[in-house]
Amino acid sequence: MSERSNNDSLKKSCDTMNNITPWQQMISSCTGAVLTSFFVTPLDVVKIRLQAQKSPMKRGQCFLYCNGLMDHVCWCRNGNGNNTKPVHWYKRGLPEPFTGTLDAFIKISRREGPTSLWSGLPPTLVMAVPATVVYFTCYEQCRNKLGYRDGLQEGQWWKPMAAGVVARTWAVTLISPLEMVRTKMQSEQLSYTAVWQSVRKMVRQEGIIRLWMGLGPTLLRDVPFSALYWFGYESFRSMLQRIHGKIRIGFWDNFFAGAASGAIAAIITLPFDVIKTHRQIELGNVMGSSGEKKTSSTFRLIQSLYRQQGVASLFTGIVPRVIKVAPACAIMISSYEYFKSVFREHNLKAQKALMIPSS
């Protein structure tokens, strides 16, 4: 009886904890995206600098920038490093080569200044903020529509998975044309007017579906990851709620739940990530060459990887992926939940103030 009454009280308190508006959810997710990008971006800046040191990138070559929150295809715009052309953040050279990740952090900070570690932040914020706002707000709305109550009721395990699938599909589909335009603009260094004319010409010749080129491989990884992530996060969160005996858990509880669920989802969906990375580079080369190159299908890419390198090729890079994804998920969800709790307290105080009769 005591356990049932405890669950009933948690359910009632859960109803009062959801009283935040969609705008407040959007602000919370926006703040979380900015904080996550700020903390995780230096990891990818150092990684790309280390990669460029081992195999220098040529002008026009595309590379993948991904900080655990968003993935971007970027172009090497500078030339061979002479003084007549600008040297961008991913090709800056130091007198002494980097011997490892920690050494790269120290040398870049000392020689170029600490701000150089955030050189890759702008391309992330351009797409990460709107994509994250759409994704998290849609997830919350879908979850609430399904009547999910933090896993406290039996048979609700599928609801966060369904909400995660819908939210990720909607967010990726909505942002995909913008990412395609951004990639096209960066690869050919076009002005906004030229980009608009290029997009109109492309739509007339190949149809509006061309704007969603590359959507398939993106959904192939992001949708399963989203389903597994939200299932894991809500499960860990419900477990911690039962341990503490209250619906409102702390910042570090959310941090742990986000990191654990993000790591598990990253490991399980690693083959999809490998496939998506190869496809992004292929599609990037296609857009960078004005559509002259032909790209193979995702299925043919899987066959090619399997024939050339075996099953092991689909599980490469597990350590770097977990190192980036786990903290990114942890920072994002814990900051998101923190700012949601701030808005909840604000709304509750406003409601109490309205209920006090004027003297």
Side-chain angles (χ1 to χ4, degrees), residues 29 81 89 96 118 132 142 166 184-185 199 208 212 286 323 336 340:
S29 58
W89 63 269
E96 300 176 4
W118 284 269
T132 305
C142 290
V166 172
K184 186 80 172 176
M185 182 176 180
V199 169
I208 196 171
W212 282 269
V286 169
I323 288 176
Y336 176 62
K340 279 171 57 181

Side-chain angles (χ1 to χ4, degrees), residues 104-133:
F105 270 106
I106 295 174
K107 287 182 177 178
I108 291 174
S109 300
R110 286 179 178 176
R111 304 285 180 85
E112 303 176 13
T115 56
S116 184
L117 293 172
W118 284 269
S119 301
L121 186 60
T124 298
L125 292 179
V126 167
M127 300 300 297
V129 172
T132 305
V133 168

Side-chain angles (χ1 to χ4, degrees), residues 161-179:
M161 296 185 71
V165 167
V166 172
R168 176 57 72 181
T169 302
W170 171 244
V172 171
T173 304
L174 188 66
I175 297 297
S176 184
L178 300 178
E179 173 69 5

